[in-house]
Amino acid sequence: MVVNEFTADLIAKVEDAVKDLLLPVQKGEARPPKVIEGYLPPKRSGVADDFPCVIIRPENGEADREGAKVSALLIVGCWSEEFDGYKHCVNVMERIKNALSTMENGTLAGKWILQYPIKWALAEQQPYPFWQVEMELAFTCHAPQPLTDWEE
C-alpha cells in the first residue's frame, strides 16, 4: 500500500512537470509524454503510439522502525527520426529533475523526502528511431513513532 501511494504521488509530480512539453510522435501531432505506471502495454499495431512516454515503477525498497526507503526507476522514451533524438529524452529528464529539485522542503506529497544524487544514464546503444534515458530516484519516509510516555 505505501509503495503504491508513493508511485501515485510520483506519477502526479511527473505528469505536472511534463504536461506542456510537446514532443514528436510517429504519426500525428506533437504531444506531451504519456506517464505510464509499471510497464508498457503490449503492442497492438505497428505504430509506437506510446512514445513519447515516461514509465515509472518502484524498483526496490526497505523498511525498518524508523521509516521506509523506496527507489524508483523512470524510463523516458521518445521517438524521433533525427539522429540527435536523444535530446528529447534529456529535455524530459531535465524537466523531471528540476521539478523534483524544487519541491518544498525536498518533499514529495508532504511525506517522501528526495535523496540525492539523482542518477540518470543515456544508453550507449539506442534503438533508432526510439531513444531512451533512465533515471534512478530514491526517497525516504519517516515512520510514526510510538509514544513512550503516556499521560492521561
Side-chain angles (χ1 to χ4, degrees):
M1 168 105 161
V2 171
V3 174
N4 291 334
E5 289 176 16
F6 162 75
T7 306
D9 292 339
L10 184 56
I11 286 170
K13 187 67 172 178
V14 170
E15 285 175 337
D16 188 54
V18 301
K19 68 184 176 193
D20 61 349
L21 181 61
L22 300 178
L23 299 170
V25 297
Q26 190 171 1
K27 289 192 179 187
E29 293 189 26
R31 65 170 173 76
K34 292 181 183 179
V35 180
I36 300 168
E37 182 177 356
Y39 297 85
L40 281 176
K43 299 292 173 240
R44 290 176 285 284
S45 70
V47 177
D49 58 353
D50 293 320
F51 289 81
C53 67
V54 179
I55 302 167
I56 299 177
R57 64 176 167 256
E59 189 172 46
N60 61 61
E62 62 183 73
D64 58 27
R65 291 179 188 249
E66 301 300 315
K69 296 177 186 174
V70 64
S71 296
L73 178 65
L74 281 66
I75 302 168
V76 177
C78 293
W79 179 91
S80 176
E81 290 183 320
E82 302 299 321
F83 288 106
D84 64 351
Y86 73 91
K87 289 180 179 179
H88 296 300
C89 292
V90 171
N91 287 340
V92 174
M93 181 271 302
E94 287 289 340
R95 286 275 185 110
I96 296 168
K97 185 171 63 77
N98 289 342
L100 294 171
S101 297
T102 58
M103 294 183 298
E104 186 174 344
N105 296 322
T107 304
L108 175 66
K111 59 188 166 233
W112 303 102
I113 304 164
L114 177 64
Q115 302 299 302
Y116 287 93
I118 295 173
K119 298 180 182 180
W120 64 273
L122 181 66
E124 190 172 317
Q125 298 292 322
Q126 296 286 333
Y128 174 86
F130 301 98
W131 305 91
Q132 183 175 314
V133 168
E134 292 186 4
M135 295 180 71
E136 293 179 32
L137 303 174
F139 290 82
T140 57
C141 179
H142 298 293
Q145 299 299 310
L147 294 175
T148 56
D149 185 19
W150 291 89
E151 291 184 22
E152 297 200 44

